[in-house]
Amino acid sequence: MSVELTVGTRVLLRRVRADDEARFLELAEASEALHRPWVALPRSAAEFAAYLARFDQVTAVGMVVCLRDGGDLAGMVNINEIVRGSYQRGVLGYAAFLPHAGRGYMTEGVALAVRYAFERMGLHRVEADIQPGNAESLRLAARLGFRREGFSPAYIKIDGTWRDHERWALTNES
């Protein structure tokens, strides 16, 4: 099975794998100020191993956004909480890595992940739960056509704190 899932103009999307550990951890550490308090990424080899173990390709898929030019990791995208049957939905998680943040790589990478979810995984709905103060993530979701569906106080526990989230979603109407 190819690790490359889909290719865009400037980035490609592939499954995260064990040999990404060193670079992933290095970039996550360098990007910690960018991510806090929005997301908590693995900080150690043990946390990275647990992170990888979550991705059973049934209920969760873990991917990295890689630059086509050079292959460096620009960010990560997960499709979590995949539910089949009548729902056919998954919940996105994503984060950019410095020094590549703010250059449009994640917009392209998340768009590729959504296309992968709809076309290859057969999902009907992709959701994104975003903290209200995370302006960059909110703008990315809006750029990709996600619609704001609601607000949930104290919705997700991140770094030991229950945080409010806006709920955004996109459906495959084909």
Side-chain angles (χ1 to χ4, degrees):
M1 173 173 65
S2 170
V3 294
E4 193 172 280
L5 300 175
T6 185
V7 178
T9 305
R10 299 185 309 145
V11 301
L12 65 86
L13 194 65
R14 66 165 173 79
R15 293 193 203 291
V16 63
R17 53 189 192 229
D19 65 352
D20 290 322
E21 179 184 314
R23 185 64 175 152
F24 190 103
L25 292 175
E26 175 187 358
L27 291 168
E29 182 179 340
S31 306
E32 190 168 351
L34 177 68
H35 296 150
R36 299 285 174 195
W38 320 124
V39 65
L41 294 177
R43 299 180 202 174
S44 68
E47 288 180 4
F48 188 79
Y51 176 75
L52 278 182
R54 290 183 28 221
F55 304 123
D56 61 7
Q57 312 311 313
V58 176
T59 62
V61 175
M63 300 166 280
V64 286
V65 177
C66 301
L67 302 180
R68 286 187 64 186
D69 182 18
D72 198 18
L73 305 182
M76 51 68 66
V77 182
N78 302 329
I79 304 173
N80 305 296
E81 301 176 33
I82 298 167
V83 179
R84 296 297 186 168
S86 299
Y87 287 97
Q88 297 298 332
R89 68 128 177 112
V91 180
L92 284 179
Y94 51 87
F97 291 138
L98 293 174
H100 306 298
R103 299 181 182 178
Y105 297 129
M106 288 307 294
T107 299
E108 185 177 351
V110 173
L112 290 172
V114 169
R115 189 172 80 205
Y116 179 79
F118 289 158
E119 295 176 3
R120 303 269 297 281
M121 296 177 67
L123 297 181
H124 170 70
R125 178 182 178 85
V126 176
E127 301 171 4
D129 301 316
I130 305 167
Q131 292 177 59
N134 189 344
E136 292 297 322
S137 191
L138 291 169
R139 280 193 291 273
L140 188 152
R143 269 194 308 275
L144 294 180
F146 280 72
R147 68 188 165 277
R148 185 181 186 272
E149 293 187 334
F151 177 82
S152 296
Y155 190 55
I156 301 173
K157 193 174 194 178
I158 299 173
D159 255 357
T161 302
W162 287 100
R163 301 187 187 278
D164 299 344
H165 281 74
E166 293 184 17
R167 295 184 326 278
W168 291 69
L170 190 62
T171 52
N172 183 6
E173 301 303 329
S174 59

